[in-house]
Amino acid sequence: MTRILLLALAGACLWCAAEASMADTLKPAATSTWKSPSLNKDLVTTLYAPADDAPQRSRAGRPGIFYLKNLAGQRAGTESDESIIADLLKEGYLVLVIDYAKDPKAVAPHTDLDIRVMRSSMGGSKTKPGIFGPQRVDGDHTYVLAEGFRLKRDILYYGNEKDGYRLDIRYPSKPKTPAPALILNPCDNKNRMGNWVTTTYNEVIAESAMTRGYAAVQIDNPVKYYKGRDPMPEVAIIIKAAIRTVRAQGKELGLSGKVGLMGFSRGSGQAGLAGLSSDKKELEQGPHLDQSSRPDALLLHAGRMDHLLLLKTDPKFGSSYGDQFGDPVADRKKWEEGSAAFYVTKDDPPVFLSVGDRDEYRVAQIKRMDEALTAAGVEHTLAITPNMGHRVTGDLKILAQIYDFFDKHLKGK
């Protein structure tokens, strides 16, 4: 018994020494404060910079990490911050730790606004420092991580190694319980982390959800070279492959297998078609066919759900789809096959619909989907944000409804 105790103490001492040694290697490049718009107070920030010879330096700057520490609620990942940050530095990331000091508002939906402001404050130079100080940061390769989360980048989910489609997963490392995942199908076809699109349209829900224990997944939009029209329903093939790939990664990363899918604008119509077409076997192509591509919940913001309806609400815009779908009378089936609203059946996953009341033709589009879901008896919610145009809602009450919706269907709460 004495020998076992001594061995245990020795092991504990070695672990403590390793943690202390790791902490000693984390030398801050700078400390400062940043005013949180959601908390309306200054938070302490600590910047860590990688070695000069670390990888990933580009003309745009280094990739960055916003590492959100001491959040409200229970920590999802049990691995230490020091261990994660040390590895991020070796990989060439600039890491900005933002300490929320356990403020009770340090959780989504309040963090949505903070993340958007963080992302819009990145530009830096010697004459005009940004949130990372004078360091130049590559905004399209900068990530938010909640404490205890790691990042796995560039996972091939469809196509070949040279020009296939890839995704990034941010996941709680060594989680106490398996984590559900939220997949964002971005409206930006050029960069899946496109910072301009993210900040302009408030597309931050997947990132903010990490504060509630969700893994955040961002995929390449299924249309890499956008020319004004999306090839529908073909886009669903690629998005479904992403869902299957995330589920296939589950065992390695500690994911639960529960998946929510979301999209905004053109990404919304694409996600809707992919998420509501589980009975269409011809759309199941690519890897991991042993996994299901059916999401457990759908969040659709302000997208095109019925192209035939556009002919009535916006005739000039609607008729422009004639080149893609043909004559709306003679080729009506093609118009329906390219529109998410025509895929609704009673066994579809629950759906949350969101749109701003000033969002032009998209209000009618979301209401059309609401009618289709109601007719089929699919559980769903419709939320219209007052005085808002084309963007993801920033209304705290509606955002709270969205997170509660995911908690119910992905966590069983």
Side-chain angles (χ1 to χ4, degrees):
M1 179 66 74
T2 302
R3 186 167 182 266
I4 293 174
L5 181 60
L6 288 172
L7 287 171
L9 288 171
C13 289
L14 287 172
W15 181 85
C16 291
E19 286 289 297
S21 175
M22 186 171 294
D24 289 343
T25 64
L26 295 180
K27 302 294 185 183
T31 58
S32 186
T33 60
W34 174 75
K35 188 166 186 177
S36 159
S38 63
L39 275 57
N40 193 30
K41 67 180 183 182
D42 289 339
L43 303 178
V44 175
T45 66
T46 306
L47 177 66
Y48 297 95
D52 290 340
D53 59 353
Q56 297 202 75
R57 188 191 295 274
S58 69
R59 289 184 179 180
R62 286 201 176 277
I65 298 288
F66 291 108
Y67 194 88
L68 313 186
K69 186 177 178 180
N70 288 324
L71 298 165
Q74 187 177 29
R75 181 182 172 116
T78 63
E79 187 174 2
S80 72
D81 299 326
E82 291 79 12
S83 175
I84 293 170
I85 293 170
D87 285 344
L88 289 169
L89 294 174
K90 290 176 185 176
E91 294 163 13
Y93 293 94
L94 283 162
V95 181
L96 183 69
V97 177
I98 302 178
D99 191 340
Y100 275 84
K102 296 292 183 180
D103 189 286
K105 285 187 176 181
V107 64
H110 300 286
T111 45
D112 287 48
L113 174 59
D114 278 14
I115 290 171
R116 184 165 64 85
V117 173
M118 286 174 203
R119 285 193 160 281
S120 63
S121 307
M122 280 194 283
S125 67
K126 291 182 178 179
T127 57
K128 191 177 180 181
I131 193 171
F132 281 84
Q135 301 275 3
R136 293 181 64 243
V137 183
D138 182 354
D140 292 331
H141 294 89
T142 292
Y143 300 79
V144 175
L145 289 179
E147 55 187 353
F149 274 65
R150 280 190 175 271
L151 165 65
K152 186 172 183 180
R153 274 179 58 178
D154 297 327
I155 301 169
L156 181 69
Y157 70 87
Y158 189 82
N160 56 50
E161 285 288 340
K162 182 178 179 182
D163 58 0
Y165 295 80
R166 298 178 182 274
L167 58 82
D168 303 322
I169 303 180
R170 285 164 280 180
Y171 60 96
S173 182
K174 302 176 183 178
K176 293 179 180 178
T177 57
L182 293 183
I183 300 176
L184 172 63
N185 176 48
C187 64
D188 190 334
N189 61 292
K190 184 179 179 182
N191 298 299
R192 59 180 173 270
M193 290 298 301
N195 193 62
W196 180 84
V197 171
T198 301
T199 55
T200 301
Y201 296 110
N202 201 32
E203 207 172 37
V204 300
I205 286 178
E207 292 192 305
S208 190
M210 285 184 284
T211 66
R212 297 170 74 108
Y214 289 90
V217 183
Q218 292 197 221
I219 70 175
D220 280 335
N221 186 279
V223 184
K224 285 191 174 182
Y225 306 103
Y226 185 53
K227 297 180 180 179
R229 300 291 176 267
D230 296 323
M232 307 281 269
E234 292 81 2
V235 295
I237 293 172
I238 301 173
I239 297 172
K240 285 172 173 289
I243 297 172
R244 295 195 307 269
T245 299
V246 170
R247 286 195 165 114
Q249 292 281 322
K251 187 175 182 180
E252 175 189 346
L253 301 183
L255 306 182
S256 69
K258 291 286 187 179
V259 170
L261 176 64
M262 69 179 77
F264 163 74
S265 195
R266 47 190 292 269
S268 175
Q270 296 170 349
L273 201 156
L276 298 170
S277 57
S278 298
D279 57 334
K280 304 298 181 183
K281 299 302 180 185
E282 65 272 19
L283 299 178
E284 300 288 348
Q285 300 176 32
H288 309 298
L289 292 173
D290 59 321
Q291 301 288 333
S292 171
S293 69
R294 182 186 187 274
D296 298 289
L298 271 172
L299 170 59
L300 306 178
H301 298 280
R304 297 190 286 270
M305 304 296 165
D306 182 348
H307 294 90
L308 284 168
L309 179 61
L310 284 174
L311 294 171
K312 297 179 180 179
T313 59
D314 195 335
K316 184 178 180 180
F317 181 41
S319 62
S320 69
Y321 279 87
D323 293 340
Q324 181 175 354
F325 298 128
D327 182 82
V329 177
D331 300 309
R332 181 181 177 89
K333 186 178 180 181
K334 289 183 179 179
W335 286 74
E336 293 178 351
E337 288 176 344
S339 303
F342 290 95
Y343 286 80
V344 176
T345 57
K346 63 180 180 180
D347 57 348
D348 282 329
V351 181
F352 196 106
L353 302 171
S354 174
V355 69
D357 66 350
R358 296 182 179 179
D359 198 358
E360 302 175 330
Y361 67 85
R362 298 177 188 87
V363 176
Q365 289 287 313
I366 291 299
K367 287 183 176 180
R368 165 71 175 93
M369 180 61 84
D370 174 52
E371 292 169 359
L373 294 166
T374 299
V378 177
E379 180 182 347
H380 70 286
T381 300
L382 170 62
I384 300 177
T385 303
N387 302 314
M388 188 182 81
H390 190 50
R391 62 179 308 184
V392 175
T393 185
D395 186 289
L396 278 177
K397 290 183 178 179
I398 294 176
L399 285 170
Q401 285 182 301
I402 289 172
Y403 289 112
D404 288 344
F405 167 79
F406 281 131
D407 283 350
K408 175 182 177 182
H409 297 292
L410 304 185
K411 293 182 178 179
K413 293 183 179 179

